[in-house]
Amino acid sequence: KDPGLPYLGVVHHGVAPRRFRGGEGGRHLLVLSRIHPDKGIREAILFARKSRLPLKIAGPIQDEAYFQNEVAPLLGEGVEFLGPVDPETRQTLLDGAIALLHFVNFGLAPVEAMMSGVPVLARPLGALPETVRHGETGFLVRDWEEALEHLEAVRRLDRWAIRRYAEARFSRERMARDYLELYRKVVGA
């Protein structure tokens, strides 16, 4: 925000709800992200190991040295790196996910997960406190010990309620309406 300008609001990301379907979930933890030190991939692996749940990681390698030194040595024993995936494979991964692990400030992955009815376990960084409703669409946690405490509760969240929340809050149509309203405010200011 520029202190000299009035605050006119924020517009959240929007996605096409019809691109996502809800699944029953419950088989694995999931990370959808570029492989980069800023994305918390190593932390996700360590969390999955502590939880004793399988983890699937999908996304392109952006930092080869990070992948080779920090991620690759931790693969195996229930941790699988899939590389980049197409939209149908991404949806299949979401369909089978217990939860999306998201350890960065923001991105579309939490919105896409919730649009598929998948709860999100994340740190309360950046826009995530505005995106994830703690206890309803996932859990915002200080650290991975706290995330482990919420693992059983995340399985009990209503996946269809998560989907309805995402449709109401993060659809492309809602985003377009919010932009139009923001433009009206700007023109009127």
Side-chain angles (χ1 to χ4, degrees):
K1 288 195 304 192
D2 181 333
L5 296 175
Y7 178 71
L8 299 173
V10 64
V11 176
H12 292 286
H13 285 298
V15 297
R18 70 181 176 282
R19 287 182 40 219
F20 301 92
R21 61 180 186 257
E24 293 302 313
R27 293 183 295 279
H28 58 263
L29 298 170
L30 178 63
V31 170
L32 297 174
S33 178
R34 294 175 287 119
I35 309 306
H36 186 275
D38 294 342
K39 297 297 186 175
I41 307 300
R42 185 175 190 282
E43 292 82 359
I45 294 171
L46 296 175
F47 171 75
R49 290 264 167 83
K50 286 181 185 178
S51 74
R52 296 188 173 143
L53 291 169
L55 172 66
K56 296 185 183 289
I57 304 167
I61 297 172
Q62 187 177 36
D63 186 317
E64 185 67 37
Y66 172 72
F67 178 77
Q68 292 302 326
N69 296 325
E70 301 291 331
V71 176
L74 298 175
L75 297 177
E77 297 178 45
V79 177
E80 182 180 6
F81 174 66
L82 304 169
V85 296
D86 60 55
E88 185 59 34
T89 302
R90 179 187 63 211
Q91 184 62 59
T92 300
L93 291 168
L94 285 164
D95 290 346
I98 296 165
L100 178 84
L101 303 179
H102 193 77
F103 307 152
V104 296
N105 291 355
F106 194 73
L108 281 178
V111 171
E112 292 174 344
M114 290 187 300
M115 198 63 76
S116 296
V118 177
V120 176
L121 283 172
R123 292 184 181 139
L125 303 171
L128 283 162
E130 298 172 36
T131 306
V132 176
R133 280 196 175 152
H134 184 79
E136 293 178 32
T137 65
F139 291 93
L140 299 170
V141 296
R142 290 183 309 269
D143 53 42
W144 300 117
E145 287 75 25
E146 185 178 352
L148 285 169
E149 294 171 16
H150 291 294
L151 200 49
E152 284 308 310
V154 83
R155 291 176 185 258
R156 292 189 299 271
L157 293 177
D158 182 335
R159 294 172 79 91
W160 292 111
I162 294 169
R163 165 70 185 217
R164 286 190 301 275
Y165 166 80
E167 286 177 341
R169 186 109 191 253
F170 300 109
S171 71
R172 287 191 307 194
E173 294 76 16
R174 188 269 326 134
M175 181 179 68
R177 285 191 307 271
D178 288 356
Y179 271 120
L180 287 172
E181 183 58 31
L182 182 60
Y183 295 148
R184 286 186 190 105
K185 287 180 183 178
V186 169
V187 170

